[in-house]
Structures are given as C-alpha cells and as structure tokens.
Amino acid sequence: RSPDTLPHMPATVQLDLAAALEQYGPRLRAVAYQLVGADADDVVQETFLRAVRKAHTFRAESEIGTWLHAILVRVALRHRRTRARGGPRLSLDAGMPVSEGMLADPRARGYAPSSQTIKREATQAVQEAIARLPDAFRIPLVLKEIGELSVDDVGRILRLKPQTVKTRVHRARMLLRGLLDSKLPRRRLPAAAYER
C-alpha cells in the first residue's frame, strides 16, 4: 500500500514518505537483498509500513534515509530469525585464509569465458560470499557499500562508534577477499628474486 493512501497520517508526513520511497526505495531494496535474498521486496514493504506507523517518532535528528535504513535492518533481522534462513555462516573469529607461495589464477580453469560470463559469475560469487559473512560484519558492509551510507550514519543505525564501523567494514572486506580468493584455482609462484 502506498503511504499516501493511508488516511490516518497527516498530509506532510505522507508526502515525505512518498518522496522517501521514490528516493530511497531502490537503495533500500539493494541492502535488503544482501540481507535476506529473495524476500527483499517483503522486507522493504514492511519497512515502509513501519515507517508510516512510526512517522510520529521521527525527530529529524538524522536524515530520513538513515532512519529508514535503521528500520530496514531491524525488519530484516527479525525476518531472518522467523524464517531461520541462510546457509552456513563464518564464525566471528574466522580469518582470511592464507596460502604461502600460492596465487589465485582464474585463467587456470582452462577456458576463455566472455566478459558477460565473467561479470555474471563474479556478481554471483560476491553475493554468495556476502551471504556467508556473520551479521556483525555483513550488515555494516552492506549499509556502507550498497546502502551508500556514511560511517557515522551506519554507526547511528547500528548504535556503534564510527571506529567500530570502520573496523567491521574492513574485516568484512578481508573475509570477502578470503572467501572469493579460496574459490579460484591456484598456481605455485616462482621463488622471489631479490636484489642484494
């Protein structure tokens, strides 16, 4: 249901939420997709329904987009808990896998894929890797990189210090790198030739 069809809301709030849906809807959907997958549309719809119900609580201490992302995160986490979805997740203590003397070599697969195939496979691999991250790393990363929010806004949404957000986004990137790197074929590197 569109926010402007709800009779119990004041006209000014209806217009703001309608404009917010237009402005933030695609970005919210992209964030929701990374958090709940195919149920992203349901989560975005529930986010806007809650925003309509809670519009009177918005104090304009932050931008409306930040407020909507905070609602979205809570809705997505609740949705995942009730659905008990998701594959195996990495533990919070998981580090980036390191193999001394080995290098990922995508050409070792033995075929020359088209650029469209490479792009499609890369996108799918990144989405699967993001889905495997623990929530503590995945949510800050998705809000920062896909939601295009500032570190301060992510901190307000998740009630974290900005430095904690930066650390978690960095660790999420390192974990992603390790997950993606581990799927590529490997070849042994020649010994390093250092000049004296």
Side-chain angles (χ1 to χ4, degrees):
R1 240 170 119 178
S2 169
D4 56 351
T5 63
L6 296 170
H8 67 283
M9 297 301 300
T12 55
V13 174
Q14 291 171 8
L15 292 174
D16 288 344
L17 288 175
L21 176 59
E22 187 108 1
Q23 182 178 358
Y24 297 104
R27 202 178 315 159
L28 287 166
R29 194 204 179 281
V31 169
Y33 183 78
Q34 292 300 324
L35 298 179
V36 298
D39 294 332
D41 290 332
D42 294 339
V43 167
V44 171
Q45 182 178 10
E46 178 65 23
T47 297
F48 274 94
L49 288 173
R50 286 184 189 208
V52 167
R53 283 188 226 120
K54 298 288 186 179
H56 65 280
T57 66
F58 180 63
R59 294 182 301 243
E61 292 172 357
S62 62
E63 291 184 25
I64 194 165
T66 304
W67 182 65
L68 289 171
H69 277 88
I71 295 171
L72 178 93
V73 168
R74 288 191 298 272
V75 170
L77 290 174
R78 184 172 293 127
H79 180 83
R80 280 209 356 245
R81 279 193 301 265
T82 58
R83 292 279 179 120
R85 292 191 116 156
R89 302 245 185 255
L90 291 175
S91 79
L92 289 174
D93 299 324
M96 186 177 76
V98 176
S99 300
E100 285 291 324
M102 298 296 282
L103 176 70
D105 186 6
R107 295 170 296 166
R109 290 185 174 169
Y111 72 97
S114 71
S115 62
Q116 289 297 327
T117 303
I118 290 172
K119 188 175 181 180
R120 187 174 48 249
E121 287 179 2
T123 300
Q124 182 179 353
V126 168
Q127 288 175 345
E128 289 172 359
I130 288 172
R132 290 191 59 209
L133 293 175
D135 286 343
F137 299 136
R138 183 164 50 103
I139 293 171
L141 177 76
V142 169
L143 289 173
K144 172 88 176 63
E145 301 301 337
I146 296 171
E148 299 176 5
L149 296 173
S150 70
V151 168
D152 290 335
D153 285 343
V154 174
R156 277 192 282 277
I157 289 169
L158 301 177
R159 296 183 180 127
L160 298 172
K161 293 178 182 176
Q163 191 57 44
T164 304
V165 172
K166 289 179 186 177
T167 300
R168 289 187 183 186
V169 168
H170 176 72
R171 287 192 65 192
R173 288 178 182 149
M174 297 303 287
L175 288 167
L176 274 178
R177 178 180 174 184
L179 286 169
L180 294 170
D181 187 56
S182 70
K183 291 187 176 201
L184 293 172
R186 310 190 83 65
R187 66 180 167 90
R188 185 153 300 280
L189 291 172
Y194 297 106
E195 292 185 21
R196 294 190 184 267

